Amino acid sequence: MNPLLSRRGLLTGLAVSGIPFAASRPALAAIPARARTLCYIGGYNKHAPPGGAGNGQGIALFEMNPTTGALAPVSTFTDIASPSFITLSADSRFLYALSEIDDFNDQHDGSVTAFSVDRLSGELTRLSVVSSGGAVPAHLSIHHSGQYVLVANYVGGSVGVLPVRPDGSLGEPTDIVHNSGPRMPERAQDNPPGNFAVSDHAGPHVHMVASDPSGNFVVACDAGLDRLYVWSLDLATGKLKSAAKPFLSLMPGSAPRHFAFSHDGRTLYILCEQDSKVVVARFDPATGAITPQQRVSTVTSYFQGSTLAAEILLSPNGRYVYASNRLGDSLAVFRVGPDGLLTLIDEVWMHADYGRAMMFDPSGTFLFCANQRSDSVTSFRVDPETGALDFTWHFTAIGSPTTFAFLQL
C-alpha cells in the first residue's frame, strides 16, 4: 500500500511536505446543542373534589416543535392529585404544583408539591408536599423575591404563604390570611345579554395571588367578594400586612378572577369572570393603591349568551392583551394604547371547548390554550406587529388540561 494513502502515511507525508497538520483541513466550528422547548401541562384527574374530577393523569411533559408549535408527548408524572395550576422558578430548577383537593389533612386543606427539574431531560423529582393553608387551591405563584410561594385557596377564601427552602423544597405556611365580607350577587348588572352562567358568591373565593413586578406588594383576586386585596410581605417573617387601602371593591357580581401587570408595573389588567369584562387600573408601586380607569368587554357587541372569562395575558412586547372566554369559547385580542387603555380588535374561536389557561411559548411565537372540557390543547401563531392569532390546526390530546409551564433547554 502506498504509505501516503494510509492514515499514518498521510499525516507523515503532510509533515514531511512542511504543511502543518492543523492547516491541512478547515477548522470545525463548534456545533451548539439543539435548543429544546419543553412544556408541562397539568389539569384535573379523578382525585379532584366532587364536581371537579377530570380525565387527566397528572403533570404531562411535551416537547414543542419550534417551527410548527406542535407538541409531542414525552412522559407523565402521575403520582399527584389534580395539579390544576403549576409554575416554574425563575431559574427553572424547580416546579411547584398545587393539588386542587380538600382532603390533604384533617383540616380539609389542599396541598402544594415541590419538584426538582432535570435540566437535561425535564423529568421531575418530588422534593416535598405541604398544606396549601386552605381547601381547594386554585392558583399559586412565586413571590418576586423567590423566597416564598403564594397560594390562593378558593374554598374558604384564604391566601397561604409557603417558605422556599435552599434546596427548593417548601416549608409549612408562615401565614394564612382569610378574607371576609358581605354576600354578593351571583350575576353582575352588566352581563352580556342572555348570560345564564353564574359565579359562586356564597362566600370568599380567592382565585389568584401574585406579587407586583416591584415585589413591594402582594395582590389577590377574590371572586366571591368582588374585591382585589393588597398586602405587603415581610420577607423576614413571611407575614402579610394589609396595605394602606386594603382592598378595591369592583362591580357587585363581577367576580374578579385573574390579573396581569404591564411590564413597568404601573397598569393592572383585571379580568372579571362573571360579566366577562377587563378592568384597566393604575397601580401605585409605592403605596399599592389601585385606581380603575376603564371597563371593556371581552366579547364583541354581536355576542349574546352565556360566557365566563378565564385567563388574561399581556403579550411579550407589551402591545397586546389576550383574554379567554369559557362557554363562548373565544379569545379576545386587545390593543394596548399609549395610556395603557384597551381596544378590542378581534374575537377568535378557540376551536375547542371551555378554554381556561393560556400561555405563550418562551419565544412568544405561539399562544397555547388549555381546553378543559374537550380534553385538548390548541395553539395559535402570534403576529407580534398586529397581535393577530392564526390557528395552527394542531390539537394535542390530554385529559382535562388547565395549566401550562414552559421550559427552555
Side-chain angles (χ1 to χ4, degrees):
M1 173 184 289
N2 185 340
L4 292 181
L5 297 181
S6 68
R7 182 175 184 274
R8 179 176 297 176
L10 175 61
L11 297 181
T12 303
L14 291 172
V16 171
S17 67
I19 303 175
F21 171 63
S24 67
R25 59 179 180 176
L28 294 177
I31 302 175
R34 181 174 67 88
R36 300 176 64 201
T37 299
L38 301 182
C39 177
Y40 299 93
I41 304 176
Y44 291 114
N45 57 29
K46 63 182 180 179
H47 301 289
N55 303 316
Q57 294 182 315
I59 300 175
L61 177 61
F62 294 82
E63 182 165 359
M64 188 192 86
N65 182 308
T67 302
T68 67
L71 298 176
V74 176
S75 62
T76 302
F77 184 93
T78 59
D79 190 17
I80 186 171
S82 288
S84 64
F85 204 92
I86 59 178
T87 191
L88 284 163
S89 61
D91 58 9
S92 299
R93 295 175 56 210
F94 306 104
L95 183 144
Y96 299 99
L98 59 82
S99 286
E100 194 169 323
I101 57 176
D102 59 3
D103 59 358
F104 176 69
N105 54 23
D106 293 340
Q107 287 72 46
H108 301 286
D109 290 340
S111 64
V112 179
T113 302
F115 298 92
S116 62
V117 178
D118 187 307
R119 293 286 296 166
L120 295 178
S121 67
E123 294 298 318
L124 302 176
T125 301
R126 183 164 47 207
L127 299 174
S128 64
V129 187
V130 297
S131 165
S132 66
V136 191
H139 181 272
L140 58 75
S141 63
I142 302 171
H143 185 265
H144 184 77
S145 66
Q147 296 177 232
Y148 297 93
V149 167
L150 308 168
V151 190
N153 295 297
Y154 184 81
V155 174
S158 67
V159 170
V161 182
L162 312 180
V164 178
R165 295 169 174 159
D167 66 352
S169 64
L170 296 174
E172 295 296 326
T174 56
D175 201 6
I176 302 171
V177 175
H178 294 268
N179 296 338
S180 62
R183 178 72 178 261
M184 305 302 286
E186 290 184 334
R187 293 183 173 90
Q189 294 179 352
D190 61 348
N191 273 350
N195 185 10
F196 290 94
V198 296
S199 294
D200 185 358
H201 284 82
H205 295 305
V206 182
H207 223 306
M208 176 179 176
V209 61
S211 57
D212 75 301
S214 73
N216 293 334
F217 294 97
V218 171
V219 180
C221 281
D222 195 313
L225 300 179
D226 299 322
R227 292 175 175 175
L228 249 69
Y229 284 85
V230 185
W231 301 273
S232 59
L233 177 63
D234 187 321
L235 297 182
T237 64
K239 301 292 184 182
L240 293 170
K241 179 182 178 182
S242 293
K245 185 178 179 181
F247 61 83
L248 169 72
S249 293
L250 297 175
M251 175 170 288
S254 60
R257 176 184 175 95
H258 279 192
F259 57 83
F261 277 96
S262 60
H263 294 322
D264 64 6
R266 295 183 177 276
T267 303
L268 185 59
Y269 299 101
I270 308 159
L271 183 66
C272 295
E273 170 186 283
Q274 216 290 311
D275 58 0
S276 295
K277 297 290 194 302
V278 178
V279 177
V280 182
R282 303 293 178 233
F283 184 84
D284 187 337
T287 65
I290 303 172
T291 307
Q293 303 287 312
Q294 181 191 27
R295 287 179 64 83
V296 58
S297 178
T298 62
V299 294
T300 68
S301 59
Y302 299 102
F303 178 85
Q304 296 188 27
S306 294
T307 182
L308 290 170
E311 183 63 282
I312 187 165
L313 290 178
L314 181 70
S315 66
N317 62 16
R319 296 170 56 185
Y320 298 94
V321 165
Y322 300 87
S324 62
N325 291 300
R326 296 165 293 169
L327 300 178
D329 296 333
S330 67
L331 296 172
V333 183
F334 297 94
R335 181 186 299 112
V336 179
D339 53 3
L341 301 183
L342 300 181
T343 301
L344 180 64
I345 60 174
D346 203 1
E347 186 178 13
V348 180
W349 179 34
M350 287 179 182
H351 292 264
D353 186 22
Y354 217 66
R356 287 182 52 138
M358 301 184 297
M359 185 166 284
F360 294 100
D361 78 290
S363 72
T365 304
F366 299 99
L367 178 65
F368 291 84
C369 300
N371 305 292
Q372 179 186 343
R373 291 184 180 173
S374 57
D375 299 311
S376 68
V377 168
T378 50
S379 59
F380 298 81
R381 187 179 292 273
V382 183
D383 186 322
E385 295 303 316
T386 66
L389 299 177
D390 183 21
F391 186 51
T392 65
W393 291 98
H394 293 304
F395 293 85
T396 303
I398 180 171
S400 306
T402 62
T403 184
F404 299 100
F406 279 91
L407 173 64
Q408 188 79 62
L409 297 180

